[in-house]
Amino acid sequence: MEEILQKYYGYQNFREGQGALIDYAVEGRSALGILPTGGGKSICYQVPGIALGGLTLVISPLISLMKDQVDALTAAGIEAAYLNSQQKEAEARAIERGLIKGEYRFLYVAPERFDKNDFRYLLSRLDIRLIAFDEAHCISKWGHDFRPSYRQVVGRVMSLGAPCMAVTATATADVRKDIQSLLHISDDCVVETSIKRDNLAFKVDPTFQKDKMVRRYIKEHPDDSGIIYATTRKQVEALSEQFRDFKISHTIYHAGLPAEVRAENQTAFVNDNCSVMIATNAFGMGIDKSNVRYVIHYNLPQDLESYYQEAGRAGRDGLTSECILLYSDQDIRLQQFFIGNTQDEVIQDMKKEKLEKMVQYTKTTQCLQGTLINYFNSEEHLEPCGKCTNCLMEADYDMTTEAKKLLSCLLRMKTPVNRSVLTKVIRGESFPRHDFEHLSTFGLMKEYETKAINGFIDTLLFNGYVDEIDGRLSVHPSAKEVLLENMQIMTHYHPVDYNERVTIHTLVTVDDALFDVLKKVRKTLAEEMKIPPFTIFSDRTLTLFAQKQPTTKQEMFQIEGVGSYKLKHYCPRFIEAIKSYQTTV
């Protein structure tokens, strides 16, 4: 196999995962390969296709993708062809005659081709040794780019009797299981490598001046090739018009353009005749332009699968490249509108959940590449990338003490547990059927909110000190550096956050006498303002006042039910009452 690799592709060694997939194909076993963008997925079925002889049938979702693949194979001296709806009849018939004569090793077709009776008859006359599903996530209804035609063709393809190889860069656990079920691929024939790309720097920018930022970036990178993704055709056209006004050379791509214009614009970009492409997500699948130095998302995508696949078109040559995400609340509302038009309620709920994950990506303080890795494979060991927005942002809170407490607690539990259990034990919540209450670390962080503890756990996870397998946490060996060598762990945490509303959980009992005083203050205020007392503060909030006894506005604002208006207009009276009460007891 290495001889084929060297002869036709010029590489000495296979990349991670390629060799295993090739072996499965040669052995006649169906397999699934989940490799990162730019990870050499096509080689996984092309090399065994050459070794097996006969014909390899490749199911591909896009005409442009077929053409690029066939051009690349032909350039390497490998006989390949494609059949699609844009070909002239005479050209298609010539290819069919060549197929019957065994002149081609690879045939690329779209799934819709199987709807034609004459094509299915043609296949019955060919020596098909291997079937490949390129961009296999399109098969799954749980995938971000689901194509019903792709799924519907599976039965007809499987009836050909040849082993299948499915390859994709983006497959969550649900998508992977769906593909395996449809193509009858066993667990031991699934090869999944890390989506980590060391040369990519992921950045998030919530700027309100998107246009200005994009123009400035392009002018600062005049010799670099880049893609700017926008959600709608209208937005693509608007950006294009603006670029023309500022004399920024570019081209555009969206489904509303005539096919010949799309092809012309794509060729100009791929051939480096134009360095900037403004496009919707209709552009890019299978485009193997290796020198894209940046990908800017002008709008928030609908899910992390789409974002990773589109952003991953940067830096396929292994050189440092940037993936920049701009977003606004308006982007979220637009995606919610699109999702709302989905007819299938199950699919709609799934899309809502994926959009929420996408939004969380823009707000996380953890490593951005680590967040993507964790989304696709939650069991992969994580480490900071050192290049993304969050890794470069200086952490301002020393959580070394909290880290030692959490790691010590997890070690003393002597078994992997989910984060909910760890959080409850460290906060001192009871476990009637466990012995955790006898641990020296039980209740060690009872003064912390669940949200804060989860943030500390995330920091340990994303820095590689904790692993999460099957939803259960365990201490990684590298944690010894923290426990024994007094290594400092920094994170982003603010015990008092103006934008947070904290629900207080405490073992402190309510001071009934103070509660009665506060009720009188509330009643007096209500009478003065001629409004019902509960509209000032609920009994729940007064109970929290009586428990925590806040004596400053800052302390007051941490309590549930206290907003900015009430902090200014009502709280001074309650603070005065609490201080007065404290001097009398």
Side-chain angles (χ1 to χ4, degrees):
M1 296 302 159
E2 285 78 5
E3 185 179 339
I4 293 174
L5 183 71
Q6 186 174 5
K7 178 180 178 181
Y8 292 105
Y9 301 92
Y11 301 130
Q12 297 295 323
N13 303 108
F14 289 110
R15 295 181 183 178
E16 182 185 0
Q18 289 178 330
L21 286 167
I22 289 167
D23 289 342
Y24 291 140
V26 173
E27 293 166 5
R29 304 174 69 187
S30 292
L32 168 61
I34 306 170
L35 282 71
T37 51
K41 292 180 288 297
S42 57
I43 282 178
C44 296
Y45 59 79
Q46 289 174 358
V47 168
I50 294 169
L52 289 169
L55 181 72
T56 294
L57 178 65
V58 184
I59 318 297
S60 180
L62 294 174
I63 292 174
S64 60
L65 177 55
M66 294 180 207
K67 185 179 185 304
D68 288 344
Q69 294 278 5
V70 169
D71 287 347
L73 286 167
T74 303
I78 302 167
E79 299 82 4
Y82 58 82
L83 290 172
N84 64 50
S85 57
Q86 293 185 2
Q87 286 171 316
K88 295 180 179 179
E89 186 72 17
E91 183 183 359
R93 291 288 173 259
I95 291 172
E96 289 171 2
R97 289 193 295 271
L99 287 165
I100 294 171
K101 293 177 183 179
E103 295 176 356
Y104 298 104
R105 294 190 182 188
F106 293 89
L107 174 64
Y108 284 75
V109 297
E112 291 81 4
R113 200 79 186 175
F114 284 80
D115 294 336
K116 299 179 179 294
N117 291 327
D118 56 349
F119 177 68
R120 295 199 299 272
Y121 174 68
L122 171 66
L123 292 180
S124 68
R125 303 173 64 188
L126 304 179
D127 180 20
I128 299 173
R129 304 282 181 87
L130 180 65
I131 300 167
F133 282 91
D134 208 355
E135 306 293 348
H137 58 273
C138 296
I139 297 174
S140 175
K141 63 182 178 181
W142 307 118
H144 68 286
D145 202 13
F146 173 51
R147 311 276 176 101
S149 61
Y150 227 60
R151 191 179 184 90
Q152 291 161 5
V153 79
V154 168
R156 287 173 174 170
V157 171
M158 298 294 286
S159 68
L160 297 173
C164 294
M165 182 182 293
V167 293
T168 181
T170 50
T172 59
D174 288 337
V175 172
R176 184 183 69 240
K177 290 175 184 176
D178 200 19
I179 294 172
Q180 284 185 249
S181 175
L182 286 166
L183 301 182
H184 308 298
I185 298 171
S186 61
D187 288 339
D188 60 341
C189 288
V190 176
V191 176
E192 183 172 8
T193 62
S194 176
I195 70 165
K196 186 177 181 181
R197 303 261 310 275
D198 290 332
N199 64 311
L200 297 186
F202 289 89
K203 299 186 176 182
V204 170
D205 188 345
T207 179
F208 288 101
Q209 296 181 313
K210 292 183 179 183
D211 294 345
K212 186 176 180 180
M213 179 272 167
V214 171
R215 293 198 307 270
R216 184 184 70 247
Y217 188 93
I218 292 173
K219 288 182 177 179
E220 289 173 353
H221 300 79
D223 299 323
D224 290 341
S225 181
I227 304 171
I228 301 168
Y229 279 109
T231 299
T232 64
R233 302 175 190 179
K234 182 178 179 181
Q235 186 65 68
V236 169
E237 297 285 357
L239 277 171
S240 178
E241 183 176 345
Q242 181 187 136
F243 278 25
R244 283 194 296 271
D245 291 342
F246 283 88
K247 295 181 172 51
I248 299 174
S249 177
H250 69 284
T251 190
I252 67 172
Y253 191 107
H254 60 68
L257 296 172
E260 61 272 17
V261 175
R262 292 200 304 271
E264 180 182 332
N265 291 355
Q266 177 175 312
T267 299
F269 179 69
V270 171
N271 293 343
D272 286 337
N273 296 326
C274 186
S275 62
V276 179
M277 169 65 79
I278 308 173
T280 63
N281 61 6
F283 175 78
M285 185 183 287
I287 300 299
D288 197 20
K289 181 175 169 62
S290 64
N291 65 335
V292 175
R293 291 277 72 84
Y294 61 86
V295 172
I296 298 175
H297 277 78
Y298 187 87
N299 304 108
L300 187 80
Q302 197 170 100
D303 49 59
L304 284 169
E305 291 98 319
S306 301
Y307 178 66
Y308 171 71
Q309 187 173 65
E310 291 158 12
R313 287 170 188 140
R316 293 194 175 194
D317 53 10
L319 299 180
T320 300
S321 305
E322 292 189 317
C323 308
I324 303 170
L325 172 61
L326 311 179
Y327 73 93
S328 66
D329 289 341
Q330 186 177 351
D331 294 336
I332 300 172
R333 289 191 290 271
L334 179 61
Q335 295 295 355
Q336 288 171 336
F337 171 76
F338 290 149
I339 292 171
N341 290 331
T342 305
Q343 298 301 314
D344 189 316
E345 289 188 12
V346 175
I347 300 296
Q348 186 179 100
D349 289 342
M350 179 266 291
K351 287 186 175 182
K352 286 179 180 177
E353 184 177 337
K354 288 182 180 240
L355 177 59
E356 179 60 29
K357 295 285 186 182
M358 185 72 248
V359 173
Q360 288 174 12
Y361 174 84
T362 69
K363 299 183 183 304
T364 183
T365 58
Q366 303 301 331
C367 171
L368 293 176
Q369 178 145 230
T371 301
L372 289 166
I373 292 170
N374 191 246
Y375 176 75
F376 287 105
N377 184 1
S378 61
E379 298 183 2
E380 184 171 339
H381 181 68
L382 302 176
E383 293 178 344
C385 73
K387 301 182 187 69
C388 72
T389 309
N390 292 345
C391 285
L392 296 175
M393 181 171 59
E394 186 176 352
D396 53 3
Y397 182 82
D398 184 349
M399 61 162 281
T400 306
T401 300
E402 288 88 348
K404 289 182 176 180
K405 289 178 179 180
L406 284 163
L407 292 170
S408 298
C409 187
L410 194 53
L411 284 169
R412 283 172 169 76
M413 293 169 84
K414 296 182 179 180
T415 183
V417 296
N418 63 43
R419 66 171 58 207
S420 174
V421 172
L422 175 60
T423 301
K424 288 180 179 178
V425 171
I426 202 79
R427 292 190 70 246
E429 299 181 20
S430 62
F431 278 85
R433 290 183 291 179
H434 295 277
D435 295 328
F436 296 146
E437 292 183 14
H438 302 293
L439 296 177
S440 60
T441 50
F442 183 79
L444 204 57
M445 296 176 69
K446 63 185 177 184
E447 71 275 20
Y448 290 87
E449 287 295 313
T450 298
K451 178 182 177 181
I453 293 174
N454 270 313
F456 295 141
I457 293 172
D458 279 341
T459 299
L460 292 173
L461 178 68
F462 280 80
N463 281 275
Y465 300 119
V466 167
D467 284 334
E468 191 168 14
I469 308 296
D470 291 330
R472 296 179 179 274
L473 301 170
S474 60
V475 177
H476 188 266
S478 62
K480 289 181 181 178
E481 299 172 349
V482 181
L483 291 168
L484 303 178
E485 299 177 20
N486 206 28
M487 173 178 281
Q488 187 181 49
I489 306 297
M490 301 298 292
T491 190
H492 302 280
Y493 167 65
H494 300 281
V496 178
D497 186 344
Y498 186 84
N499 293 316
E500 267 188 0
R501 301 294 182 269
V502 179
T503 301
I504 294 178
H505 302 285
T506 176
L507 301 178
V508 179
T509 57
V510 177
D511 187 322
D512 292 329
L514 176 57
F515 181 73
D516 288 338
V517 170
L518 296 175
K519 283 177 66 177
K520 290 177 182 176
V521 172
R522 181 179 66 179
K523 184 171 174 43
T524 301
L525 266 173
E527 289 173 348
E528 290 174 3
M529 303 185 68
K530 298 181 181 179
I531 57 176
F534 68 86
T535 61
I536 294 176
F537 286 123
S538 68
D539 281 2
R540 163 72 175 165
T541 300
L542 292 191
T543 299
L544 296 175
F545 286 173
Q547 286 178 341
K548 297 296 290 182
Q549 300 190 18
T551 56
T552 66
K553 284 187 175 181
Q554 188 179 46
E555 291 174 352
M556 209 44 113
F557 198 68
Q558 294 181 65
I559 294 176
E560 181 183 27
V562 179
S564 300
Y565 181 87
K566 292 184 178 182
L567 183 69
K568 178 180 179 180
H569 294 278
Y570 303 154
C571 286
R573 296 277 285 270
F574 289 93
I575 290 172
E576 182 183 349
I578 293 170
K579 286 181 177 179
S580 177
Y581 176 81
Q582 289 175 340
T583 62
T584 61
V585 295

